[in-house]
Amino acid sequence: MHSYIKANLAPNKNIGLIKLHDNESFKKMRKAGQLAAKCLKYIEEFIKEDVTTEYIDGLIYNFALENNATPATLYYRGYPASSCISLNNVICHGIPSNKKLKNGDILNVDVTLILDGWYGDTSKMFKVGNISRKAEILVEITQQCLDEAIKILRPGIFTGDIGETIQEIAEGKGFSVVEDLCGHGIGMIFHDHPNILHFGKKGHGYELKEGMIFTIEPMINVGKKDIKLLSDGWTIVTKDKSLSAQFEHTVGITENGCEIFTLL
């Protein structure tokens, strides 16, 4: 049995309990989430051949500052950029660089903006030029994994229900779910309880209750689920070099369903 606590009793600390937020918190999360979503929309037109991921990261940094927000990843545990940009076989935490985008690339851009102390966290896939049919299907299925998991959200189900939903869709198409990385509680701190696994069994894990706020961010691979951490200490790639995709939303559990804070 996991313990729950009113979020306003410890808003800025990860104390190992699941926080239940009030309507006021939902309003703040709505604003932070919408800003992060607008940021992803804003960069869309710049994602094309010969543009560097470093340039895109600069746009995100400027967007944040112009909107009185802070990029959460910048200097977080030493991370050097305002976003994570993960190309092709990079699963997550790709560090923006002077590498130019090329025709056929798929990339995930992950943005977390802090607005008035609240964290809005979202990511989506972008395509450069004409991508392969395999990449197209991967992106579609990963989006479907997130969408279908969100549809079932309501008080009384369990985190394992989320995982099983994602796993069934991905594995049904012959893809694999990355098991070493997960979604997380969020609010006035970046990573909070509980962890949201993208695999699992119905009825297992933590029970969802009204007021919970967390991210769902399935990472789906064309090949095997095994991961490898590169020497920079951040970039995580598929061990078999196969393509990977990810979509992410921040959600809050309501009385009889959920609210997606990062849906534009």
Side-chain angles (χ1 to χ4, degrees):
M1 183 66 187
H2 211 77
S3 297
Y4 301 79
I5 186 173
K6 284 185 177 176
N8 57 7
L9 294 177
N12 298 313
K13 292 190 180 80
N14 185 336
I15 53 171
L17 302 173
I18 297 173
K19 297 190 179 115
L20 302 178
H21 296 264
D22 59 16
N23 287 337
E24 204 50 46
S25 301
F26 269 55
K27 279 184 200 167
K28 303 274 179 59
M29 282 301 292
R30 201 171 293 135
K31 285 181 182 170
Q34 284 299 293
L35 190 62
K38 282 175 186 165
C39 183
L40 284 184
K41 184 71 183 162
Y42 163 68
I43 62 165
E44 202 163 347
E45 63 177 300
F46 300 98
I47 294 178
K48 50 193 174 195
E49 280 186 75
D50 294 329
V51 171
T52 67
T53 53
E54 213 166 45
Y55 179 74
I56 296 160
D57 188 67
L59 293 173
I60 291 164
Y61 175 79
N62 290 333
F63 178 92
L65 266 53
E66 283 162 15
N67 288 278
N68 302 313
T70 311
T73 56
L74 191 58
Y75 309 127
Y76 176 76
R77 296 182 182 170
Y79 185 79
S82 299
S83 63
C84 298
I85 302 180
S86 304
L87 271 165
N88 300 322
N89 68 318
V90 179
I91 297 168
C92 64
H93 305 159
I95 300 172
S97 71
N98 58 8
K99 186 176 182 176
K100 290 180 178 177
L101 297 176
K102 60 185 193 302
N103 183 54
D105 281 341
I106 59 170
L107 60 152
N108 174 275
V109 181
D110 190 342
V111 170
T112 307
L113 299 182
I114 311 168
L115 183 66
D116 299 326
W118 295 82
Y119 288 72
D121 188 0
T122 185
S123 84
K124 64 177 281 192
M125 296 299 294
F126 295 90
K127 308 165 192 176
V128 182
N130 300 308
I131 67 170
S132 70
R133 184 71 189 125
K134 188 185 277 183
E136 194 80 61
I137 294 167
L138 173 67
V139 171
E140 281 171 19
I141 294 303
T142 308
Q143 175 84 72
Q144 190 188 343
C145 284
L146 178 60
D147 293 347
E148 294 302 318
I150 288 172
K151 277 182 194 169
I152 68 166
L153 297 178
R154 57 181 166 74
I157 72 159
F158 288 79
T159 53
D161 301 31
I162 298 168
E164 186 180 275
T165 300
I166 291 165
Q167 198 172 8
E168 274 185 0
I169 293 166
E171 292 178 358
K173 292 291 178 184
F175 296 146
S176 62
V177 179
V178 174
E179 296 183 0
D180 299 88
L181 302 152
C182 59
H184 50 89
I186 193 167
M188 292 197 84
I189 59 175
F190 201 168
H191 297 102
D192 207 344
H193 270 60
N195 287 338
I196 305 295
L197 305 179
H198 305 117
F199 65 99
K201 282 200 174 86
K202 210 170 179 175
H204 288 234
Y206 308 125
E207 185 182 351
L208 300 196
K209 292 182 185 283
E210 184 182 355
M212 281 174 69
I213 296 175
F214 52 85
T215 70
I216 304 178
E217 44 188 297
M219 290 150 262
I220 309 298
N221 299 345
V222 165
K224 293 181 177 170
K225 65 185 178 184
D226 307 304
I227 70 170
K228 181 182 170 187
L229 177 66
L230 298 189
S231 58
D232 61 26
W234 284 103
T235 310
I236 294 174
V237 300
T238 54
K239 202 170 182 184
D240 60 8
K241 299 186 169 71
S242 66
L243 289 175
S244 187
Q246 180 189 19
F247 283 88
E248 174 184 18
H249 274 311
T250 299
V251 299
I253 303 301
T254 58
E255 189 182 357
N256 45 26
C258 83
E259 178 176 349
I260 308 170
F261 297 121
T262 46
L263 187 66
L264 201 57

Short mmCIF file of all heavy atoms in Angstrom, two decimals, residues 12 28-29 31-33 35-36 60 63-65 67-74 76 82 111-121 186-190:
data_model
loop_
_atom_site.label_atom_id
_atom_site.label_comp_id
_atom_site.label_asym_id
_atom_site.label_seq_id
_atom_site.Cartn_x
_atom_site.Cartn_y
_atom_site.Cartn_z
N ASN A 12 7.65 21.27 -2.59
CA ASN A 12 8.97 21.37 -3.22
C ASN A 12 9.91 20.22 -2.90
O ASN A 12 11.10 20.29 -3.18
CB ASN A 12 9.66 22.67 -2.81
CG ASN A 12 8.87 23.87 -3.27
OD1 ASN A 12 8.45 23.92 -4.41
ND2 ASN A 12 8.65 24.83 -2.38
N LYS A 28 -2.17 26.18 -12.24
CA LYS A 28 -0.75 26.52 -12.47
C LYS A 28 -0.14 25.53 -13.47
O LYS A 28 0.64 25.91 -14.34
CB LYS A 28 0.01 26.48 -11.14
CG LYS A 28 -0.55 27.39 -10.05
CD LYS A 28 0.02 28.79 -10.16
CE LYS A 28 -0.53 29.74 -9.12
NZ LYS A 28 -0.30 29.35 -7.75
N MET A 29 -0.47 24.24 -13.31
CA MET A 29 0.06 23.22 -14.22
C MET A 29 -0.46 23.42 -15.64
O MET A 29 0.24 23.16 -16.62
CB MET A 29 -0.30 21.82 -13.72
CG MET A 29 0.57 21.33 -12.57
SD MET A 29 2.33 21.26 -12.97
CE MET A 29 2.36 19.94 -14.17
N LYS A 31 -1.11 26.25 -17.08
CA LYS A 31 -0.33 27.33 -17.69
C LYS A 31 1.06 26.86 -18.11
O LYS A 31 1.52 27.16 -19.21
CB LYS A 31 -0.19 28.52 -16.71
CG LYS A 31 -1.46 29.33 -16.58
CD LYS A 31 -1.25 30.50 -15.63
CE LYS A 31 -2.55 31.30 -15.47
NZ LYS A 31 -2.44 32.28 -14.38
N ALA A 32 1.72 26.12 -17.23
CA ALA A 32 3.07 25.62 -17.54
C ALA A 32 3.01 24.62 -18.70
O ALA A 32 3.85 24.65 -19.61
CB ALA A 32 3.68 24.96 -16.30
N GLY A 33 2.01 23.75 -18.65
CA GLY A 33 1.85 22.74 -19.70
C GLY A 33 1.56 23.34 -21.06
O GLY A 33 2.12 22.93 -22.09
N LEU A 35 2.36 26.33 -22.07
CA LEU A 35 3.55 27.03 -22.58
C LEU A 35 4.53 26.04 -23.21
O LEU A 35 5.08 26.31 -24.29
CB LEU A 35 4.24 27.81 -21.45
CG LEU A 35 5.34 28.76 -21.93
CD1 LEU A 35 4.79 29.85 -22.86
CD2 LEU A 35 6.06 29.39 -20.74
N ALA A 36 4.73 24.89 -22.56
CA ALA A 36 5.62 23.87 -23.13
C ALA A 36 5.08 23.37 -24.46
O ALA A 36 5.84 23.17 -25.43
CB ALA A 36 5.78 22.71 -22.14
N ILE A 60 14.51 27.24 -28.32
CA ILE A 60 13.76 26.83 -27.13
C ILE A 60 14.17 27.69 -25.93
O ILE A 60 13.33 28.17 -25.17
CB ILE A 60 13.95 25.33 -26.84
CG1 ILE A 60 13.25 24.50 -27.94
CG2 ILE A 60 13.44 24.94 -25.45
CD1 ILE A 60 13.65 23.04 -28.01
N PHE A 63 12.69 31.14 -26.44
CA PHE A 63 11.23 31.07 -26.25
C PHE A 63 10.90 31.09 -24.76
O PHE A 63 9.99 31.81 -24.31
CB PHE A 63 10.66 29.81 -26.92
CG PHE A 63 9.17 29.64 -26.73
CD1 PHE A 63 8.29 30.14 -27.68
CD2 PHE A 63 8.65 28.99 -25.62
CE1 PHE A 63 6.90 30.01 -27.51
CE2 PHE A 63 7.28 28.85 -25.44
CZ PHE A 63 6.41 29.36 -26.39
N ALA A 64 11.63 30.29 -24.00
CA ALA A 64 11.39 30.22 -22.55
C ALA A 64 11.57 31.59 -21.90
O ALA A 64 10.70 32.08 -21.18
CB ALA A 64 12.33 29.20 -21.91
N LEU A 65 12.71 32.22 -22.18
CA LEU A 65 13.00 33.51 -21.56
C LEU A 65 12.00 34.59 -21.96
O LEU A 65 11.59 35.41 -21.12
CB LEU A 65 14.42 33.94 -21.92
CG LEU A 65 15.50 33.55 -20.89
CD1 LEU A 65 15.47 32.06 -20.57
CD2 LEU A 65 16.88 33.97 -21.36
N ASN A 67 9.00 34.21 -22.51
CA ASN A 67 7.72 33.92 -21.87
C ASN A 67 7.83 33.79 -20.34
O ASN A 67 7.00 33.13 -19.70
CB ASN A 67 7.10 32.66 -22.48
CG ASN A 67 6.60 32.91 -23.89
OD1 ASN A 67 5.50 33.41 -24.07
ND2 ASN A 67 7.40 32.57 -24.88
N ASN A 68 8.88 34.43 -19.79
CA ASN A 68 9.10 34.44 -18.33
C ASN A 68 9.19 33.05 -17.72
O ASN A 68 8.73 32.80 -16.60
CB ASN A 68 7.99 35.24 -17.62
CG ASN A 68 7.92 36.66 -18.12
OD1 ASN A 68 8.95 37.33 -18.23
ND2 ASN A 68 6.72 37.10 -18.47
N ALA A 69 9.77 32.12 -18.49
CA ALA A 69 9.93 30.75 -18.01
C ALA A 69 11.42 30.37 -18.03
O ALA A 69 12.25 31.11 -18.56
CB ALA A 69 9.13 29.78 -18.89
N THR A 70 11.72 29.22 -17.44
CA THR A 70 13.09 28.71 -17.40
C THR A 70 13.10 27.30 -17.99
O THR A 70 12.24 26.49 -17.64
CB THR A 70 13.58 28.62 -15.93
OG1 THR A 70 13.33 29.85 -15.29
CG2 THR A 70 15.05 28.30 -15.86
N PRO A 71 14.06 26.97 -18.86
CA PRO A 71 14.17 25.59 -19.33
C PRO A 71 14.66 24.70 -18.17
O PRO A 71 15.73 24.96 -17.60
CB PRO A 71 15.23 25.65 -20.45
CG PRO A 71 15.52 27.09 -20.67
CD PRO A 71 15.12 27.82 -19.44
N ALA A 72 13.87 23.71 -17.81
CA ALA A 72 14.17 22.91 -16.61
C ALA A 72 15.44 22.07 -16.76
O ALA A 72 16.11 21.79 -15.76
CB ALA A 72 12.99 22.00 -16.30
N THR A 73 15.76 21.67 -17.98
CA THR A 73 16.92 20.77 -18.15
C THR A 73 18.25 21.50 -18.07
O THR A 73 19.27 20.88 -17.78
CB THR A 73 16.86 20.03 -19.50
OG1 THR A 73 16.77 21.00 -20.56
CG2 THR A 73 15.69 19.08 -19.57
N LEU A 74 18.26 22.81 -18.33
CA LEU A 74 19.52 23.54 -18.39
C LEU A 74 20.23 23.54 -17.03
O LEU A 74 19.70 24.07 -16.05
CB LEU A 74 19.27 24.98 -18.87
CG LEU A 74 20.51 25.80 -19.22
CD1 LEU A 74 21.33 25.15 -20.33
CD2 LEU A 74 20.12 27.22 -19.64
N TYR A 76 20.51 21.09 -15.13
CA TYR A 76 19.91 20.10 -14.21
C TYR A 76 20.87 18.92 -14.09
O TYR A 76 21.17 18.25 -15.08
CB TYR A 76 18.56 19.64 -14.77
CG TYR A 76 17.88 18.55 -13.97
CD1 TYR A 76 17.23 18.85 -12.78
CD2 TYR A 76 17.88 17.22 -14.40
CE1 TYR A 76 16.59 17.86 -12.03
CE2 TYR A 76 17.24 16.23 -13.67
CZ TYR A 76 16.60 16.55 -12.48
OH TYR A 76 15.98 15.57 -11.75
N SER A 82 18.98 23.27 -23.13
CA SER A 82 17.62 23.68 -22.73
C SER A 82 16.56 22.66 -23.12
O SER A 82 15.38 22.85 -22.82
CB SER A 82 17.29 25.03 -23.38
OG SER A 82 18.19 26.00 -22.94
N VAL A 111 10.78 18.99 -24.11
CA VAL A 111 10.87 20.31 -23.51
C VAL A 111 10.17 20.32 -22.15
O VAL A 111 9.04 19.84 -22.03
CB VAL A 111 10.19 21.36 -24.44
CG1 VAL A 111 10.05 22.70 -23.73
CG2 VAL A 111 10.97 21.53 -25.73
N THR A 112 10.85 20.84 -21.16
CA THR A 112 10.22 21.08 -19.86
C THR A 112 10.48 22.53 -19.48
O THR A 112 11.63 22.95 -19.39
CB THR A 112 10.79 20.16 -18.77
OG1 THR A 112 10.72 18.80 -19.20
CG2 THR A 112 10.02 20.31 -17.46
N LEU A 113 9.40 23.29 -19.29
CA LEU A 113 9.54 24.69 -18.92
C LEU A 113 8.99 24.92 -17.51
O LEU A 113 7.96 24.37 -17.14
CB LEU A 113 8.78 25.58 -19.91
CG LEU A 113 9.26 25.52 -21.38
CD1 LEU A 113 8.45 26.48 -22.24
CD2 LEU A 113 10.74 25.81 -21.50
N ILE A 114 9.73 25.72 -16.74
CA ILE A 114 9.29 26.07 -15.39
C ILE A 114 8.64 27.45 -15.46
O ILE A 114 9.28 28.43 -15.84
CB ILE A 114 10.45 26.12 -14.38
CG1 ILE A 114 11.33 24.86 -14.48
CG2 ILE A 114 9.93 26.29 -12.96
CD1 ILE A 114 12.64 24.97 -13.72
N LEU A 115 7.36 27.51 -15.13
CA LEU A 115 6.61 28.77 -15.14
C LEU A 115 6.02 28.99 -13.74
O LEU A 115 5.23 28.17 -13.27
CB LEU A 115 5.50 28.71 -16.20
CG LEU A 115 4.68 29.99 -16.37
CD1 LEU A 115 5.54 31.13 -16.92
CD2 LEU A 115 3.48 29.75 -17.28
N ASP A 116 6.43 30.08 -13.11
CA ASP A 116 5.96 30.39 -11.74
C ASP A 116 6.16 29.21 -10.79
O ASP A 116 5.32 28.93 -9.93
CB ASP A 116 4.47 30.80 -11.75
CG ASP A 116 4.23 32.04 -12.60
OD1 ASP A 116 5.11 32.91 -12.63
OD2 ASP A 116 3.17 32.11 -13.25
N GLY A 117 7.26 28.49 -10.98
CA GLY A 117 7.59 27.39 -10.08
C GLY A 117 7.00 26.04 -10.45
O GLY A 117 7.29 25.04 -9.80
N TRP A 118 6.20 25.99 -11.51
CA TRP A 118 5.54 24.75 -11.92
C TRP A 118 6.14 24.22 -13.23
O TRP A 118 6.47 25.00 -14.12
CB TRP A 118 4.03 24.96 -12.07
CG TRP A 118 3.41 25.28 -10.75
CD1 TRP A 118 3.36 26.50 -10.14
CD2 TRP A 118 2.79 24.36 -9.84
NE1 TRP A 118 2.75 26.40 -8.91
CE2 TRP A 118 2.38 25.10 -8.70
CE3 TRP A 118 2.54 22.99 -9.88
CZ2 TRP A 118 1.74 24.51 -7.61
CZ3 TRP A 118 1.89 22.40 -8.80
CH2 TRP A 118 1.50 23.15 -7.68
N TYR A 119 6.25 22.89 -13.33
CA TYR A 119 6.94 22.25 -14.45
C TYR A 119 5.95 21.71 -15.49
O TYR A 119 5.11 20.85 -15.17
CB TYR A 119 7.79 21.07 -13.95
CG TYR A 119 9.02 21.48 -13.19
CD1 TYR A 119 8.94 22.02 -11.90
CD2 TYR A 119 10.30 21.30 -13.74
CE1 TYR A 119 10.07 22.38 -11.19
CE2 TYR A 119 11.44 21.66 -13.03
CZ TYR A 119 11.32 22.19 -11.75
OH TYR A 119 12.45 22.55 -11.05
N GLY A 120 6.08 22.18 -16.73
CA GLY A 120 5.30 21.63 -17.85
C GLY A 120 6.23 20.80 -18.72
O GLY A 120 7.20 21.32 -19.28
N ASP A 121 5.96 19.52 -18.84
CA ASP A 121 6.89 18.57 -19.48
C ASP A 121 6.19 17.86 -20.64
O ASP A 121 5.16 17.20 -20.44
CB ASP A 121 7.35 17.57 -18.41
CG ASP A 121 8.46 16.65 -18.87
OD1 ASP A 121 8.90 16.75 -20.03
OD2 ASP A 121 8.89 15.80 -18.05
N ILE A 186 5.13 14.87 -11.14
CA ILE A 186 5.68 16.19 -11.47
C ILE A 186 4.76 17.25 -10.85
O ILE A 186 3.63 16.96 -10.48
CB ILE A 186 5.79 16.36 -13.01
CG1 ILE A 186 6.65 17.57 -13.39
CG2 ILE A 186 4.42 16.41 -13.68
CD1 ILE A 186 7.06 17.60 -14.86
N GLY A 187 5.25 18.45 -10.73
CA GLY A 187 4.46 19.54 -10.16
C GLY A 187 5.38 20.71 -9.91
O GLY A 187 5.80 21.39 -10.84
N MET A 188 5.76 20.93 -8.65
CA MET A 188 6.74 21.98 -8.32
C MET A 188 8.14 21.42 -8.25
O MET A 188 9.09 22.14 -7.92
CB MET A 188 6.36 22.66 -7.00
CG MET A 188 5.09 23.49 -7.11
SD MET A 188 4.90 24.66 -5.76
CE MET A 188 5.89 26.03 -6.36
N ILE A 189 8.28 20.11 -8.50
CA ILE A 189 9.61 19.53 -8.72
C ILE A 189 9.56 18.70 -10.00
O ILE A 189 8.51 18.24 -10.42
CB ILE A 189 10.13 18.70 -7.52
CG1 ILE A 189 9.20 17.54 -7.18
CG2 ILE A 189 10.35 19.56 -6.31
CD1 ILE A 189 9.76 16.65 -6.09
N PHE A 190 10.72 18.54 -10.61
CA PHE A 190 10.85 17.93 -11.93
C PHE A 190 10.46 16.44 -11.89
O PHE A 190 9.64 15.98 -12.69
CB PHE A 190 12.30 18.11 -12.40
CG PHE A 190 12.51 18.00 -13.89
CD1 PHE A 190 13.73 18.39 -14.43
CD2 PHE A 190 11.54 17.52 -14.75
CE1 PHE A 190 13.97 18.31 -15.80
CE2 PHE A 190 11.76 17.43 -16.11
CZ PHE A 190 12.98 17.82 -16.64
#
